[in-house]
Each structure stands twice: as C-alpha cells, then as structure tokens.
Amino acid sequence: MNQNNPRLGWLFTSPYLIYSLVFFLGPLIWSFYLAFTNWDLIAPTYEFVGFDNFLKALKSPGVQSAFWVTYKFMIVFVPLVIVMSMAVAVLVHGLPKFRSVFLIGFFLPYLSSGVVSSLIVKGFLSYNSPLNETLRRLGVDINWLGSPWAALLVVGAIMAWKFTGYYALILTSGLAGIDKEVYEAAAIDGVSNRQRFWKITLPLIYPAIYTTLILAFGVTFGIFTEVYQLTGGGPNYATNTWQMEIFSQAFKNLQAGYASAIALLASLATFISIFIIRKLLEVWGKRNGWV
C-alpha cells in the first residue's frame, strides 16, 4: 500500500463522512437557519424573526422547567446508576466462572426498547396493579406517575436500570486491569476488604469511573422515550426534559423555528454543563492523587 497516497484512506472513510454530512452536519446547519425564522413546519413560506425565538424561549416556563428538570434527573439518576453499576461490576468480577454470561444478562436492558420497557413499567404502576393494591391494603396510596416527585424517581430508576449493565462493562474492564499482586501485597499488610476497596480499587479504576460519570451526566440531557411514554412531561412540567420540550414545540405546536432555537439552547446548556462537570471531576481526581 502506498502510504503517500491518501485516496484509499478517504475511500474507506467516505461512508462515515457521507453519513455525518447528511445526517449531522446538514441538519445542524438547517437547525441554525430555522432558529431565526417562524417556520411552522407546514407553510412553504416563513419570515426571519431574528433573536425573537431565543428571547421567547428564555421566558418560557417549559424551557425553564426543562433546564431545571435535567439537573433534578442528575441528582436521582447519576448516584443511583453509579452505585448499581459499581455493585454489578464488583460482583461479576469476583465470580470464578461465567463472568461474560452474567455481564451479558445485565447488559440486555440497555439493548431493550425504551418503549417496551416503559409500557411494562406503566402497567406495573397502574392504579389496579398488584403493587398498588398491596400498598393500599397497607394504608399507602402513591400516584406514581401523577405525583411530581414520584414521577421523577420512577423515570430516574428506569434509566438507571437500563444503563447499569452498560456502565458495569466499563467498570469491569477497569477492575480487570488491576494487577493481582497489588491485592496480595495489601492482604499481607493486613488491609481489610473495605479499606482495599476505598484505598486501592477506586483510585486504580478512576479512569473508568471518570468515563462512566461523564456518560451518565450526558444521558440526562437526552432523556425522551421514557418520559414521553410514561408522563408526557408532566405532571406540571415535573419531568419535562429538553427533548420533550423540543418535540412538543416542533410536532405538537408546529413551531419548527422556535423548537430549533430551544434545541440550540439545549446544546449550549449541555456543552457548558459537561465542561464544568469534567473540570470538577479532574480536580477531584488530582486532589486525591488519582491522576
């Protein structure tokens, strides 16, 4: 192969480049353009409105709720999924045999359809479900999807269940990279299992934890399917995410230009938030001497 001729490289990368151009770069430029118009998704003509869509979005209760709901989901989803995935990773890594089989089993929810899992959960939490019948006999009556705090917890728990296996794979790979001699030396020094986990395991798998946390934080900005199926963004905007607000404005209210402006604001909020979170995690790692 002639390494001085880049044509072959461009040939092999052309499918991805064409895909990115058609399905990413093109829609992104179109979205920028639409954000400054009042296109209603149907009419062949529209007008330029400047920054009116952005000003309207900043004052909108729906957009404001989407901003705050994202961080509420972070508080519920991120700690829950990290603890669950860490528990699964440690449990599976400690198995003498069939690790791959168990990891695949935990990974299956990530591959399952969000629509199907949401419909199953919706039926499980319905008013006449066995769970609610049992709770009412005990004097507890919870409207799981009609109460703001309960709906938030339900969606956060579903997302944690779905992503636990995926993040556990990342953490398991980190655990597999730890030299057994480190644990053997710690055992000789009389280090307890609890101290070994906090003082040896966590510092050595910090890169895997860092990756998992960044992915988990990023997921909260793209929640849609579960919210759409279970709550529709309610009750009272309690689960109204960025994606839900964009969908509602574009396809329910037929305000494509306004929805594009919201999408750009959502992207800006995502990039800034992830940048700040990355810096905080890096500071945390350096302060503990893990980096």
Side-chain angles (χ1 to χ4, degrees):
M1 182 182 297
N2 186 1
Q3 297 181 356
N4 295 324
N5 187 356
R7 293 181 180 179
L8 189 61
W10 283 106
L11 177 63
F12 282 114
T13 57
S14 60
Y16 176 76
L17 294 176
I18 295 173
Y19 172 85
S20 300
L21 179 64
V22 174
F23 295 102
F24 178 74
L25 185 59
L28 180 62
I29 296 174
W30 180 240
S31 179
F32 269 102
Y33 175 76
L34 286 182
F36 296 93
T37 69
N38 62 353
W39 189 42
D40 62 0
L41 205 63
I42 298 177
T45 59
Y46 47 84
E47 298 177 353
F48 286 93
V49 295
F51 289 93
D52 289 353
N53 287 330
F54 294 93
L55 297 176
K56 178 182 176 181
L58 293 175
K59 299 177 182 179
S60 169
V63 174
Q64 294 175 6
S65 69
F67 179 83
W68 293 113
V69 163
T70 299
Y71 299 105
K72 291 178 182 178
F73 270 124
M74 283 186 187
I75 296 173
V76 175
F77 167 73
V78 175
L80 185 60
V81 74
I82 294 299
V83 171
M84 291 172 61
S85 58
M86 180 64 73
V88 170
V90 173
L91 177 64
V92 173
H93 182 70
L95 295 175
K97 297 180 180 180
F98 306 113
R99 294 180 184 176
S100 300
V101 176
F102 283 96
L103 278 176
I104 292 173
F106 285 110
F107 187 72
L108 287 178
Y110 179 75
L111 300 177
S112 64
S113 169
V115 175
V116 174
S117 59
S118 298
L119 291 176
I120 293 174
V121 171
K122 192 172 185 177
F124 185 73
L125 298 178
S126 63
Y127 183 80
N128 294 323
S129 67
L131 172 64
N132 285 324
E133 288 284 355
T134 303
L135 290 177
R136 282 195 294 271
R137 291 176 183 176
L138 298 175
V140 179
D141 190 5
I142 302 176
N143 187 359
W144 294 101
L145 302 178
S147 172
W149 66 268
L152 195 71
L153 291 176
V154 168
V155 176
I158 295 174
M159 297 298 296
W161 167 78
K162 182 175 182 179
F163 282 89
T164 291
Y166 175 48
Y167 297 156
L169 285 175
I170 301 174
L171 296 175
T172 302
S173 65
L175 292 171
I178 300 177
D179 194 338
K180 294 182 179 180
E181 294 181 356
V182 177
Y183 289 132
E184 293 174 356
I188 295 174
D189 293 337
V191 177
S192 64
N193 291 333
R194 182 177 180 180
Q195 291 176 327
R196 186 179 68 176
F197 178 77
W198 290 104
K199 300 297 183 180
I200 298 176
T201 303
L202 283 183
L204 291 178
I205 65 170
Y206 171 76
I209 296 175
Y210 175 87
T211 301
T212 303
L213 283 170
I214 293 298
L215 291 174
F217 281 115
V219 164
T220 58
F221 289 93
I223 299 175
F224 173 73
T225 304
E226 289 74 14
V227 170
Y228 179 78
Q229 289 292 332
L230 292 172
T231 65
N236 195 25
Y237 292 115
T239 58
N240 188 55
T241 61
W242 281 111
Q243 304 303 319
M244 192 66 209
E245 182 66 16
I246 295 169
F247 172 83
S248 299
Q249 297 299 334
F251 299 104
K252 290 184 178 180
N253 298 336
L254 299 180
Q255 299 183 25
Y258 179 52
S260 297
I262 297 176
L264 294 179
L265 291 176
S267 300
L268 182 62
T270 302
F271 291 141
I272 294 176
S273 298
I274 295 299
F275 177 80
I276 295 174
I277 291 169
R278 283 183 56 191
K279 292 300 180 182
L280 291 176
L281 290 175
E282 291 171 1
V283 171
W284 175 52
K286 291 180 181 178
R287 180 174 296 179
N288 290 280
W290 298 350
V291 179

